[in-house]
């Protein structure tokens, strides 16, 4: 058992542990922190797979930006201890979701045990790579030559997401009527929404 | 060296955990985070195949998936804020207005 295997097993256990704790925590802030633990372990695996730049992007974009956004929203909603989400009902939907989860888990165990991944069309052991694999230069070359068009479409997607988020989360909206632009209409519209 | 099947099995396990989280969690924010976890599991599989086949294109796909995840988080959290403002809850079982 060499160092690579040990690092892989530690990272894998931490990643699965963080993910499991994330979906079982009651407090959403603890959920976010456990997801960050899982992401850091996955970033270690990325480094092991020679994709150092993607590991950095994962940590900066996910742990640094997206999960902080989640934390901001949780702080904004002031969720802690506010309501009890435990479900004691004996409804059909509750039974169904646990049944589907169990079946999915059994299916995963079956696929893993059947050795499906061992002959996934590639060699079983990762060979040594030529230098430059996973570097920023290689990614940038691909991103700005062969994948230039999808990359430009990405910017359209982000603009659409920003505009959509602002429009959805805006507080004052006139439902079904044109939005008031002049300042004289502002007080009357406030009263009508109350 | 670690065989790539180990990485793929880990990706599958993380994906199933994310799916189970979407299914059984009642907190809508945790559901969104489970979706993020599923996207991450797909990313891990992409990186693994990219490394195993010695083709860099998987990294570009991971880049695009990260962008989609960021956009999804922004819009999803905006929706969470809006429905919390209207209903005063994050319990997904109470958002049943469009349920048949």
């Amino acid at each position: 058992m060499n160092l690579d295997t040990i690092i892989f097993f530690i990272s894998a256990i931490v990643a699965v542990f963080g993910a499991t704790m994330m979906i079982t925590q009651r407090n959403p802030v603890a959920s976010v922190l456990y997801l960050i633990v899982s992401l850091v372990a996955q970033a270690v695996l990325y480094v092991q797979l020679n994709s150092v730049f993607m590991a950095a992007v994962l940590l900066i974009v996910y742990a640094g930006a997206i999960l902080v956004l989640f934390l901001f929203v949780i702080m904004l909603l002031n969720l802690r201890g506010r309501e009890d989400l435990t479900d004691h009902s004996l409804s059909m939907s509750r039974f169904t979701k646990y049944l589907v989860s169990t079946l999915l888990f059994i299916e995963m165990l079956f696929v893993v045990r059947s050795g499906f991944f061992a002959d996934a069309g590639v060699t079983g052991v990762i060979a040594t790579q030529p230098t430059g694999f996973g570097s920023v230069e290689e990614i940038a070359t691909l991103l700005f030559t062969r994948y230039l068009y999808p990359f430009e479409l990405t910017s359209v997607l982000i603009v659409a997401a920003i505009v959509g988020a602002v429009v959805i989360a805006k507080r004052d909206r006139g439902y079904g009527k044109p939005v008031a632009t002049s300042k004289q209409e502002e007080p009357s519209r406030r009263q009508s929404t109350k | 060296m670690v065989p790539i099947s180990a990485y793929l099995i880990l990706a599958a396990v993380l994906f199933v955990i994310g799916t189970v989280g979407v299914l059984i969690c009642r907190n809508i924010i945790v559901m969104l985070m489970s979706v993020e976890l599923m996207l991450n599991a797909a990313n891990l599989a992409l990186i693994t195949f990219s490394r195993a086949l010695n083709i860099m294109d998987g990294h570009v796909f991971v880049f695009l998936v990260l962008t989609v995840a960021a956009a999804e988080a922004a819009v999803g959290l905006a929706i969470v804020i809006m429905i919390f403002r209207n209903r005063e809850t994050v319990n997904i079982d109470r958002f049943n207005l469009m349920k048949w």
Side-chain angles (χ1 to χ4, degrees), chain B residues 23-71:
Chain B
L23 282 172
I24 69 171
C25 277
R26 278 172 299 277
N27 193 334
I28 190 168
I29 295 176
V30 180
M31 285 178 80
L32 273 176
M33 288 191 317
S34 300
V35 174
E36 302 285 334
L37 186 68
M38 288 160 74
L39 288 170
N40 262 306
N43 280 348
L44 185 60
L46 280 172
I47 293 269
T48 306
F49 275 117
S50 177
R51 175 81 161 82
L53 299 173
N54 201 5
I55 303 170
M56 283 288 295
D57 297 31
H59 290 66
V60 180
F61 292 157
V62 171
F63 204 81
L64 299 180
V65 169
L66 279 175
T67 319
V68 172

Side-chain angles (χ1 to χ4, degrees), chain A residues 97-192:
Chain A
K97 68 188 179 188
Y98 283 112
L99 179 72
V100 171
S101 303
T102 315
L103 284 179
L104 199 67
F105 205 76
I106 292 170
E107 191 182 349
M108 180 201 75
L109 288 180
F110 183 74
V111 170
V112 166
R113 271 187 61 85
S114 71
F116 173 74
F117 291 114
D119 49 358
V122 287
T123 51
V125 177
I126 293 170
T128 51
Q129 297 287 327
T131 53
F133 182 86
S135 65
V136 186
E137 189 187 346
E138 293 270 331
I139 295 173
T141 308
L142 268 180
L143 205 58
F144 290 111
T145 55
R146 194 188 300 167
Y147 294 101
L148 181 64
Y149 188 55
F151 179 65
E152 294 294 336
L153 282 181
T154 295
S155 62
V156 178
L157 177 75
I158 288 185
V159 171
I162 292 171
V163 173
V166 169
V167 168
I168 290 170
K170 207 162 62 172
R171 187 174 283 274
D172 256 343
R173 282 177 311 161
Y175 286 102
K177 58 190 175 189
V179 179
T181 48
S182 60
K183 285 185 177 173
Q184 294 97 309
E185 288 182 41
E186 196 75 11
S188 64
R189 201 157 58 86
R190 279 268 167 74
Q191 282 168 2
S192 67

Side-chain angles (χ1 to χ4, degrees), chain B residues 81-96:
Chain B
I81 289 176
M82 198 194 65
I83 55 185
F84 186 81
R85 201 177 285 148
N86 286 334
R87 306 294 288 267
E88 291 288 321
T89 180
V90 287
N91 189 347
I92 196 69
D93 289 340
R94 290 188 57 200
F95 305 138
N96 49 8

